[in-house]
Each structure stands twice: as C-alpha cells, then as structure tokens.
Amino acid sequence: MSVKILIPTPLRSYVGGVSEVVVEALTVGDALSRLVETHGQLKKHLYAEDGKLRSFVNVYVNDEDVRYLDKGATPLTEKDVVSIVPSVAGGVGPATTASPLPLSQEEIRRYSRHLIMPEVGMDGQVKLKNASVLLIGAGGLGSPLALYLAAAGVGRIGIVDFDVVDESNLQRQIIHETGSVGKPKLESARERLRGVNPLIRVETHETRLTSENALQLFKDYDIVADGTDNFPTRYLVNDACVLTGKPNVYGSIFRFEGQASVFATKDGPCYRCLYPEPPPAGLVPSCAEGGVLGVLPGIVGLIQATEVIKLILGQGEPLIGRLLLFDALAMSFRTLKTRKDPNCPICGPNPAIRTLIDYEAFCGLEAEALGIAAEFEISPPDLKARIDRGEDIVLLDVREPQEWSICRLEEAKLIPVGTLPYSLGQLSTADEIVAYCRSGARSRKAVQLLREAGFRKVQNLTGGINAWAETVDPSVPRY
C-alpha cells in the first residue's frame, strides 16, 4: 500500500530536495523504515543509536500526534499522510491590573475600528490598554509583534534584546531601518514604536535573557511572546513561563516554513511536551546558516500578535494544544493537535525541574564549543601568512552551493558539510586541510567529522569566511 510521507524543509536535502516521499507500508513503523532504507542519510537525523525515534522528532498521522501511541504498530490507510515534524524550536483569563485605566478621547479616536467590533468594544480595548506583554527579541519575529501590538493599543510592551542592528537584519526585521545600522536594536525599536503609538509604554531590557534574570523579568508581565532563534533560549523561555505561570506565545521560522503555538497555559502543553529534548548541537541549522524568506517572520509574527490579542481579550480559540505549520512555498496552513505530556519534567504532575537550569549545557553548546582543541583552529591572518609562504593547503568550503556563489576563497574545494561523510574519497589524509564556512560553526563540525575519519592534518578557520573578509580581505562580501 502506498503511503505519503511529508518531509520538512531541514531534512529535504537528505531526500533529494523533495517535499514528500511515497513508500510502501502498512504501519507508521514500516513507513519510517522504508524511508530510511531508501534515504540512508536520514537515519541519524530520525533515530538515536539505540534505534528509537529521537525525542526532538514528532510523527503525525494526518493531524494526530502518535508519539504516545505505539508508532511502529499504528496502522495506515492509503488516504493517510505521515508528517515528520522536528523542532526548528480554550482561552486564558484576561489580563487585569489593580486599577484599570479607562480610554481617553484620543484613544477612542485612535482605536475606533476596534471599538465598533462586538468582540472588542470599549471593554476589550480597556483590557488591551491595561495588558502587558514581554517580547523576547527585537528581530524578525519581534518586529511585527511589537509593531502590531503597539498599534493595537497594548498598554505596556517590554522587549528583551542585547544586539545591534546589522545591515543583514534589514531584509526581514522591519522595525529597523537603514539609518539604524550600528544602533542597539532596543534603541531603534523604541524610536519606531513611539512613532507608531505614543500612547503606550515601551520598556526595554538591554540584556541577554539568562537563568539568573528570566523569572524576575517574566513576573511583571501578563504574557510572554517568544521571538528567539536558538534552542537554549527557547527552552529557557518555556521553563520560565511554566514556573511563573505566564502563557508562552511561540513562533519559529526557517527558510520558507514557520510554526506557531501557545504553550504553558494552565491546561495546555508546554514546549517540552512537544519536544522533550533539543536536537544535538549543530544538527539543525540556524537561519544565519540556512536562510529565511524575508516575509516569513512577518507572517508568523503576525500570527503570534493575533494570539496575544486573543489571550488578552479572552476571545476565540487560541493555539493551545495545537501546532500551526505554515509553508510559504505551498501557501498552506496545517494545524496539528498537541498533547500535554503526563511525564513532562516541568509542567507534569510530578515535575523534576523546579528551577531554571544551565540551558547552554542542556542543549550541548558547551560541548560543541569545546569539541576541538585550539591546535585545530587557525585564524584568518595566520592562514593568509601560510598561503603567502606558498604552503600547500587544501581549502575545504563546507557551505551550501548558494553560499559559494556569494563569495569563496580562491582555489577552495566545495563539499557541503551534509554530504561530507559520503565524499571523503575526494580528500586525502596526507593533505593539510583548512575547512571554512560562513562563521566557523559548520566547519568546526566538519573538522570533528574528518578527525573521526582518520584525518589528522585538518584545521578550522576561526570565524569563517566572514572573519576572513573582516580581517584579511575586505573585498570579500560578508553576509
């Protein structure tokens, strides 16, 4: 019997770039087995060494999560569609304050289109005015979130960020403009929001969100909206929301696809219920490595803003217990049901996590950073000096072909890191090899892989080709 399996974007390079694969199978276990038999590179991404499906990979049949069922024995019909959903990353009582603030005449004029809606009206707009929302990040998702919550009249908006505006941000982070390049993102965002709505209060927290400050920051707001782009902060936001009892309005993006949900409510699942553990460090590429369509965070961020407003108003059906998947290429939305894990270590009835932990260690980033010794790193100036001396060095570019077309080092050999395990025959263990990527993370992974394969004379270009452009050759474009 033929069964269709939908392949998410991060895994499509392992199945020839297609979005779906048809296999012959009678059960979910059969279908996944046939999939990895045909596409061997997928196996390590879907299965752990003990043969069990990895905890950061969810499997759905149509819109039903089969994680808590026997995946191997779940029967399939020809009409069923199997979805692989890896991590990329009712209502809630309306927010109240001790003394609700009424609307002024200026606010009545500004929000008039809300006021004539029966689902909002004067009472709903007062709820928005007296609500407070904390945004984690002033980037791609945080931009539309902040702009539309401000325009809607959410009375107090807090933003946590510590970065500065870079030219590469402007393709999608619409709260910033060209004149803001080099400024702190919080300064740029505050100025823009004041222009959008001077009647609201904008609070900025120029700091990295950590286990030491998260609980203190979260307790003063009604709702937290997660606009992060990394797994340690995503798990930190989830856990801090559970511990402080704040709804977590979640969004994530990658290339052409996005996800959105509402986690950590009283009766709904949290992010750990969906993804108990993060993927191994380096397995899932970031947007900086994999790219993101410029309009995608606008779409997902607006969905998050809509969910925030619904929670404040107590209207509609928020994405509690549901995961919304958006595919911009197909222009399609799918909603999958999510369940509260009865054994969740933080929101379950017997939680093992009662305080915030070390999330860098939990996500394996410390181990990744310490994965290769300093002797296997080389700085751009040192590499330049060796090349100038005429040393015979093989430059190994482990980026993707589209990045190769942007810029490259002269005489380099292109072997993307995803295909490197199957391309070792193109390299010699006798050669001096220096691997590089955009910023050094993927090439560090490549060096580890090569050393495990018996290559000893291999080094990683610290900081990647961007560092080379910054310290050696400014004619090389940075991206």
Side-chain angles (χ1 to χ4, degrees):
M1 179 178 63
S2 297
V3 177
K4 182 190 295 185
I5 303 178
L6 302 184
I7 309 297
T9 297
L11 299 181
R12 288 178 187 171
S13 63
Y14 305 107
V15 295
V18 298
S19 60
E20 59 185 54
V21 173
V22 176
V23 299
E24 296 294 320
L26 296 177
T27 67
V28 172
D30 290 341
L32 296 178
S33 295
R34 300 290 184 275
L35 179 66
V36 297
E37 285 173 7
T38 307
H39 304 282
Q41 295 184 48
L42 265 182
K43 187 170 184 178
K44 68 176 182 179
H45 295 276
L46 299 183
Y47 291 96
E49 293 181 0
D50 60 5
K52 295 181 179 179
L53 198 67
R54 292 185 180 273
S55 60
F56 55 85
V57 175
N58 290 330
V59 177
Y60 285 79
V61 176
N62 304 321
D63 65 347
E64 289 289 337
D65 182 357
V66 298
R67 176 197 354 224
Y68 300 115
L69 304 175
D70 185 344
K71 299 183 185 71
T74 302
L76 297 172
T77 69
E78 288 192 353
K79 294 182 179 180
D80 288 332
V81 175
V82 177
S83 300
I84 299 172
V85 185
S87 53
V88 223
V92 173
T96 59
T97 61
S99 53
L101 301 174
L103 299 182
S104 66
Q105 290 193 28
E106 183 178 3
E107 288 170 323
I108 290 173
R109 291 193 299 271
R110 177 179 286 264
Y111 307 127
S112 62
R113 296 303 185 272
H114 273 176
L115 301 182
I116 60 179
M117 296 174 63
E119 295 84 359
V120 183
M122 286 290 287
D123 288 344
Q125 195 63 47
V126 169
K127 290 178 184 177
L128 291 171
K129 178 177 180 177
N130 288 281
S132 58
V133 181
L134 181 65
L135 310 184
I136 311 302
L141 294 172
S143 291
L145 262 166
L147 289 169
Y148 272 89
L149 293 181
V154 173
R156 186 162 68 94
I157 298 175
I159 311 176
V160 181
D161 206 301
F162 62 95
D163 202 1
V164 299
V165 180
D166 184 81
E167 196 171 12
S168 66
N169 300 148
L170 303 180
Q171 164 252 15
R172 64 203 176 280
Q173 299 181 15
I174 59 170
I175 203 168
H176 311 298
E177 56 187 19
T178 303
S180 301
V181 172
K183 287 184 179 180
K185 285 186 177 179
L186 289 182
E187 179 182 332
S188 170
R190 183 173 54 240
E191 291 175 359
R192 182 71 183 280
L193 294 180
R194 282 174 176 166
V196 169
N197 190 347
L199 305 180
I200 66 165
R201 178 178 169 187
V202 179
E203 300 173 343
T204 57
H205 307 277
E206 191 163 5
T207 180
R208 180 190 294 271
L209 189 71
T210 67
S211 298
E212 286 71 38
N213 62 20
L215 297 179
Q216 184 66 28
L217 285 169
F218 285 21
K219 74 179 182 65
D220 293 329
Y221 292 87
D222 300 317
I223 297 171
V224 176
D226 181 5
T228 59
D229 61 357
N230 64 85
F231 287 112
T233 310
R234 190 165 295 159
Y235 280 93
L236 168 58
V237 170
N238 176 80
D239 293 359
C241 282
V242 173
L243 293 174
T244 56
K246 310 296 182 179
N248 172 13
V249 180
Y250 157 81
S252 68
I253 51 176
F254 181 72
R255 291 186 177 167
F256 290 91
E257 296 179 1
Q259 299 179 359
S261 190
V262 175
F263 295 122
T265 59
K266 180 180 178 182
D267 299 316
C270 76
Y271 183 75
R272 281 184 184 265
C273 293
L274 187 63
Y275 299 113
E277 296 177 356
L283 184 63
V284 178
S286 66
C287 288
E289 296 173 341
V292 61
L293 183 68
V295 301
L296 182 66
I299 296 168
V300 176
L302 289 182
I303 291 171
Q304 289 180 272
T306 304
E307 292 301 295
V308 168
I309 291 172
K310 284 160 59 181
L311 291 173
I312 294 170
L313 296 177
Q315 293 283 351
E317 299 180 13
L319 287 171
I320 298 171
R322 294 183 293 155
L323 178 67
L324 182 69
L325 304 180
F326 173 62
D327 184 336
L329 285 180
M331 194 50 71
S332 66
F333 290 88
R334 298 175 63 215
T335 304
L336 306 177
K337 296 177 183 177
T338 58
R339 293 187 176 91
K340 193 174 180 71
D341 182 357
N343 299 312
C344 179
I346 190 158
C347 77
N350 299 299
I353 300 174
R354 299 178 182 275
T355 186
L356 300 181
I357 62 175
D358 184 340
Y359 293 89
E360 296 282 327
F362 173 67
C363 293
L365 296 190
E366 291 182 349
E368 181 190 31
L370 299 173
I372 58 176
E375 63 184 292
F376 301 113
E377 295 273 354
I378 184 170
S379 69
D382 287 345
L383 176 59
K384 177 67 164 57
R386 291 182 61 185
I387 293 173
D388 290 345
R389 289 196 297 267
E391 294 187 28
D392 190 10
I393 298 172
V394 174
L395 297 176
L396 176 62
D397 190 324
V398 300
R399 300 174 300 158
E400 297 299 314
Q402 60 270 21
E403 295 176 272
W404 171 267
S405 67
I406 298 172
C407 59
R408 71 196 73 164
L409 297 186
E410 192 174 347
E411 306 297 331
K413 177 191 292 285
L414 176 64
I415 304 179
V417 67
T419 65
L420 187 57
Y422 314 98
S423 308
L424 297 179
Q426 299 181 35
L427 302 170
S428 171
T429 56
D431 288 335
E432 296 275 355
I433 300 173
V434 174
Y436 73 89
C437 62
R438 174 183 175 273
S439 58
R442 283 172 287 172
S443 50
R444 182 181 297 115
K445 180 181 176 182
V447 168
Q448 292 173 315
L449 189 154
L450 289 171
R451 285 184 51 74
E452 291 169 0
F455 290 77
R456 291 292 174 262
K457 296 186 288 186
V458 57
Q459 291 180 296
N460 176 50
L461 180 61
T462 305
I465 196 168
N466 275 356
W468 176 274
E470 195 170 337
T471 61
V472 173
D473 184 0
S475 69
V476 175
R478 294 176 59 206
Y479 67 99

